[in-house]
Amino acid sequence: MKVAFLGTGLMGLPMAQRLLAADIQLVAYNRTPEKLAPLQAAGAEIATHPRHAISAAEYVILMLTNAPAIYNVLLSDTASQTLKGRTIIQMGTITPTESQEIRDTVVAGGGEYLEAPVLGSIPEAKAGKLSVMVGAEPEQYERHLKLLQNFGTEPLLIGPVGSAAALKLALNQLIASLTTSFALSLAFVQRQGVDVDVFMQILRDSPLYASTFDKKLQRMLDGNYADPNFPTKHLLKDTELFISEAKSRSLDVSSIKGVRQILQTAVKMSFADDDYSSLFSVIKEWGEAIGE
């Protein structure tokens, strides 16, 4: 087995390293070549063009930023000519519609396509404990299960292509909404003079608690958003994808639009590449700036 890994950013790098640790032959490509250095040092073959990576492997894993990046890297005029006989596994966050359109293009080029987006961040990627959601036919799922188990021990078949992409967007909408709601309550109790430790004690003992609150608490209190596991700009991108897809399904997206505005402001405040818990600073500082 030889795998081409396209996209070795924050999540792609540790995922690719998992394959190398499993003695799987790997050829890697990234639009920013400097990010390939750790993989090259670990024994991966480095491709200078995506078509070279695709043509050298049986399987192609995509961990790219968005659908336009997939079209640019995988489905360009030169790269798309190498798809025949290859299996494409799309693991990034895109909309169900985009995933289905990419599948149709891959299949028309003689390739096979399945989606397997993941829930989790860098620590889970390093440990091989990501939640892997698979959109594929049952036979495809069974045939590729062993490869996907390098990223998470129990990849789950969600349904056909599009269903796993939809579930991933639903979960990321929860990340954005839960974090924003927690940040607002935290800022509120601080302004009211309530002890944060007491607030957290009550919250932890209640059905309202989610573990992500404790994961983000210290970052918010310290205002330290460096070294992110998930940057603000990526959560904004996923939130916009969710809104677009939800609107196409005639859902009321008023609540998540407010979250999007906060994330947009965080990006404008130079938090784009910082941890998304930076939205706490927006909630505290933006209200002061406009006098609310």
Side-chain angles (χ1 to χ4, degrees):
M1 178 188 296
K2 191 170 186 179
V3 176
F5 206 106
L6 309 184
T8 59
L10 286 176
M11 288 290 287
L13 176 60
M15 290 172 68
Q17 289 170 328
R18 292 284 307 173
L19 298 180
L20 286 173
D23 293 324
I24 293 173
Q25 285 185 289
L26 188 75
V27 53
Y29 170 80
N30 196 78
R31 290 180 294 175
T32 306
E34 293 78 15
K35 294 183 179 181
L36 294 166
L39 293 175
Q40 187 172 28
E45 180 183 340
I46 302 302
T48 56
H49 192 283
R51 71 174 181 272
H52 299 151
I54 298 166
S55 61
E58 307 157 61
Y59 302 90
V60 180
I61 292 178
L62 306 177
M63 200 61 187
L64 297 162
T65 305
N66 50 29
I70 293 174
Y71 276 95
N72 180 260
V73 171
L74 180 76
L75 302 176
S76 65
D77 290 341
T78 53
S80 62
Q81 297 173 14
T82 62
L83 295 177
K84 187 174 181 180
R86 286 163 179 83
T87 298
I88 310 302
I89 305 176
Q90 199 299 112
M91 302 191 75
T93 304
I94 59 177
T95 70
T97 302
E98 290 169 337
S99 189
Q100 291 161 348
E101 290 174 350
I102 292 167
R103 173 203 57 196
D104 293 346
T105 304
V106 168
V107 170
E112 179 182 24
Y113 178 91
L114 60 153
E115 61 186 15
V118 298
L119 183 67
S121 57
I122 295 171
E124 290 80 17
K126 289 180 176 179
K129 294 183 178 180
L130 293 166
S131 296
V132 183
M133 300 160 277
V134 185
E137 296 303 315
E139 180 273 334
Q140 285 181 301
Y141 167 76
E142 293 294 340
R143 193 156 34 89
H144 299 99
L145 182 58
K146 187 175 180 180
L147 175 58
L148 294 173
Q149 284 174 330
N150 287 287
F151 310 116
T153 54
E154 297 181 6
L156 184 63
L157 178 63
I158 307 304
V161 169
S163 60
L167 179 54
K168 179 59 163 63
L169 283 182
L171 292 167
N172 279 22
Q173 187 277 145
L174 274 176
I175 292 173
S177 293
L178 280 173
T179 306
T180 304
S181 294
F182 173 69
L184 180 57
S185 288
L186 178 62
F188 181 77
V189 298
Q190 284 183 316
R191 293 287 168 85
Q192 294 291 339
V194 177
D195 189 295
V196 170
D197 289 339
V198 174
F199 165 63
M200 291 304 301
Q201 178 184 341
I202 298 295
L203 180 57
R204 292 185 189 108
D205 290 338
S206 78
L208 302 172
Y209 178 71
S211 60
T212 187
F213 299 158
D214 267 310
K215 290 180 179 178
K216 297 304 177 186
L217 175 63
Q218 203 58 50
R219 279 188 177 273
M220 292 179 180
L221 294 177
D222 295 343
N224 179 12
Y225 313 120
D227 301 318
N229 289 329
F230 190 25
T232 304
K233 64 183 180 183
H234 289 171
L235 185 57
L236 173 58
K237 182 266 294 184
D238 294 350
T239 298
E240 289 175 334
L241 293 180
F242 177 87
I243 289 171
S244 173
E245 198 73 13
K247 285 173 68 176
S248 74
R249 302 294 178 177
S250 301
L251 293 174
D252 186 334
V253 294
S254 302
S255 61
I256 191 64
K257 279 185 175 181
V259 173
R260 178 178 64 180
Q261 182 178 351
I262 292 170
L263 290 167
Q264 288 171 334
T265 304
V267 169
K268 291 177 183 177
M269 290 172 62
S270 301
F271 292 125
D273 295 312
D274 291 319
D275 188 86
Y276 66 89
S277 55
S278 62
L279 56 82
F280 181 66
S281 287
V282 176
I283 287 171
K284 288 200 307 179
E285 298 173 20
W286 184 75
E288 292 176 346
I290 64 173
E292 290 188 357

